Amino acid sequence: MLRFSTRPRTYLLLRQVCRCGLAGVALSAAAALLGCSHFLHKPPAEYVYVSAKQTSMRDRVAAVSNRVGTVDNGDRLEVISHFRHYLRVKTDKGIQGWISDRTVVDQKTYDAFQALAKAHKDDPAVATAIVSDEVNVHVTPGRDADTLYRLPEKDKLQLLDRAMLPGPVRPGSALAQARAAAAKASTELPPPPMEDWWLIRDSQGHVGWLLSRMIYVDAPDALTRYAEGQRIVGAYVLTRIYDPDAGDDEPDKNIPVYLALMAPYKAGLPYDFDQVRVFTWNIKKHRYETGFRDKNIEGFLPVKIEMSKDPYGKSPVAQTPAPAFTYRVLAADAPPPVPDPNTGIVTPGHTIAKTYRLEGNFVHRIAPPGSKDDPEAHPAPEEKKPKPAAKKRR
């Protein structure tokens, strides 16, 4: 018996067309997705930089793990994944492993150090110094500032600029107790201790900030013994004198003549140095002697050293080029320098330039004839010399 569909032929045709259309739409969507995936971009690679002196990479995050590699300070690592306080990273050589996120800094901190190095690439050094112990370099002055590079002990540095910031108050100290009592009585708090920070540049061109007590100015022992309890801020060679009979303490017979800048052993001073001395070499006695001294001043770095003639002298000696140096001191009419509250850098107001010239073992001021010295500021009251007693007439 033949069966005939009760549905019209038109309906059957429409249903077949719809089925084919849906399949086509699905195929078209899949093709579109495959085609669009060609234009999808991967997220940018994340990089971190090792801030520790050295750290190990482990094969897993566990109490027991194996070391798969070692990375050093400043190395760049690509981040593969995160897990709590750990990162799975890959070195430039393709070695992968886990490290603590406390031993690295992010790209933003690294870029800040790069910008700092670029901004101060051509800054002249005001002095040279040596690292007294392993120390971290900060991106800005301050103990809480980010760090990246770690300098080894005895590393030599160039000093570029100085800043002053309030330091921490030790709990239980006399100052802490005084501040607590002042706060309780609603009176003005005693100021916190100040710390000196130096903007430095190392031998690799890295630039950053160091706490001043972690470095000391590069000065020979021959000068430090004459410092008289002062801190040497800068030591510069003006010239050299040949002394064939110098003692065993001087293996090099070309003895340097030094210009030394000194200051008290105190942080937070509103000036860089308060004393200038020239140490000349006595060939007859084979020892250093003070050839020039200017003290009780408020001086500021840098100091300028050059070979110069005396433009106001007429003698042949004055017209012969000789070592000359210039330094700046605060004028008496200038307001007391105050550090910038954000950077801590001190910018003095009106300063006076003082230029001297070394002729043999004598130091002469270079100034126009008849000129008068402008009044200078002094960190301490000037000592008045007592007048000599009048001699009695017989």
Side-chain angles (χ1 to χ4, degrees):
M1 181 177 177
L2 296 176
R3 291 184 179 180
F4 296 96
S5 175
T6 59
R7 298 180 180 179
R9 182 179 296 180
T10 304
Y11 171 79
L12 297 175
L13 291 174
L14 288 174
R15 188 173 64 175
Q16 185 175 1
V17 169
C18 289
R19 289 177 179 176
C20 294
L22 291 175
V25 170
L27 290 175
S28 300
L33 290 175
L34 291 175
C36 291
S37 65
H38 178 72
F39 298 99
L40 292 178
H41 295 284
K42 295 181 179 180
E46 179 185 357
Y47 293 98
V48 292
Y49 299 82
V50 180
S51 58
K53 179 182 178 181
Q54 190 180 73
T55 188
S56 299
M57 302 169 60
R58 318 300 295 190
D59 61 345
R60 58 184 176 273
V61 180
V64 179
S65 60
N66 299 316
R67 187 175 65 178
V68 296
T70 303
V71 289
D72 300 318
N73 181 244
D75 287 351
R76 188 182 76 159
L77 306 173
E78 183 180 355
V79 178
I80 305 301
S81 59
H82 297 253
F83 178 72
R84 295 181 180 175
H85 296 295
Y86 293 89
L87 304 174
R88 182 170 180 81
V89 296
K90 182 174 67 173
T91 66
D92 292 339
K93 297 181 180 179
I95 303 175
Q96 296 190 20
W98 291 91
I99 61 172
S100 171
D101 61 1
R102 296 180 179 88
T103 61
V104 296
V105 296
D106 57 12
Q107 186 70 44
K108 182 180 178 181
T109 302
Y110 177 81
D111 292 340
F113 273 97
Q114 293 298 102
L116 193 64
K118 184 178 180 181
H120 299 278
K121 179 182 63 174
D122 300 324
D123 288 5
V126 299
T128 57
I130 300 175
V131 178
S132 59
D133 199 356
E134 289 187 1
V135 61
N136 291 322
V137 181
H138 298 251
V139 70
T140 57
R143 292 173 178 259
D144 297 331
D146 292 330
T147 64
L148 172 56
Y149 303 111
R150 187 172 180 85
L151 302 181
E153 183 182 0
K154 304 298 183 184
D155 196 14
K156 290 195 173 184
L157 310 170
Q158 293 180 334
L159 304 183
L160 306 180
D161 206 351
R162 184 176 70 99
M164 298 186 302
L165 291 176
V169 179
R170 292 194 300 257
S173 64
L175 180 59
Q177 296 175 5
R179 289 174 66 88
K184 188 175 181 180
S186 300
T187 58
E188 185 177 357
L189 298 179
M194 301 297 290
E195 290 182 333
D196 286 341
W197 290 79
W198 276 102
L199 181 66
I200 61 92
R201 181 170 56 223
D202 68 1
S203 57
Q204 301 181 33
H206 301 148
V207 177
W209 291 89
L210 289 182
L211 191 60
S212 63
R213 66 180 181 83
M214 302 303 297
I215 59 178
Y216 58 91
V217 171
D218 188 9
D221 294 337
L223 292 191
T224 55
R225 69 183 68 169
Y226 295 107
E228 299 177 353
Q230 292 278 94
R231 172 173 54 93
I232 296 180
V233 176
Y236 315 90
V237 177
L238 294 176
T239 186
R240 294 180 181 271
I241 298 176
Y242 181 69
D243 184 3
D245 299 326
D248 297 336
D249 295 339
E250 305 291 341
D252 186 359
K253 304 307 177 182
N254 291 307
I255 310 299
V257 175
Y258 286 102
L259 169 67
L261 310 179
M262 301 180 182
Y265 277 97
K266 182 180 179 180
L269 295 173
Y271 50 84
D272 294 326
F273 56 90
D274 68 348
Q275 185 175 164
V276 179
R277 296 177 67 178
V278 174
F279 292 97
T280 58
W281 183 258
N282 189 322
I283 297 180
K284 294 182 179 180
K285 297 182 179 181
H286 313 293
R287 69 183 185 187
Y288 278 106
E289 295 180 348
T290 300
F292 168 80
R293 174 182 286 184
D294 188 10
K295 60 181 181 178
N296 198 27
I297 58 176
E298 297 188 20
F300 295 90
L301 294 167
V303 61
K304 180 181 178 181
I305 300 175
E306 60 182 349
M307 297 295 292
S308 174
K309 299 179 182 180
D310 185 353
Y312 310 106
K314 298 181 180 180
S315 65
V317 175
Q319 295 304 312
T320 303
F325 56 93
T326 302
Y327 57 92
R328 297 177 302 128
V329 299
L330 190 68
D333 59 354
V338 178
D340 184 275
N342 297 321
T343 64
I345 296 177
V346 176
T347 303
H350 179 207
T351 58
I352 302 169
K354 304 175 72 172
T355 302
Y356 294 86
R357 189 169 178 267
L358 178 65
E359 298 177 2
N361 279 353
F362 299 95
V363 178
H364 299 281
R365 178 80 178 269
I366 298 179
S371 62
K372 296 182 180 180
D373 294 338
D374 295 331
E376 303 175 12
H378 301 283
E382 292 187 88
E383 298 179 0
K384 294 183 179 180
K385 297 181 180 180
K387 295 181 178 180
K391 295 182 179 180
K392 295 183 179 180
R393 295 182 180 179
R394 293 182 180 179

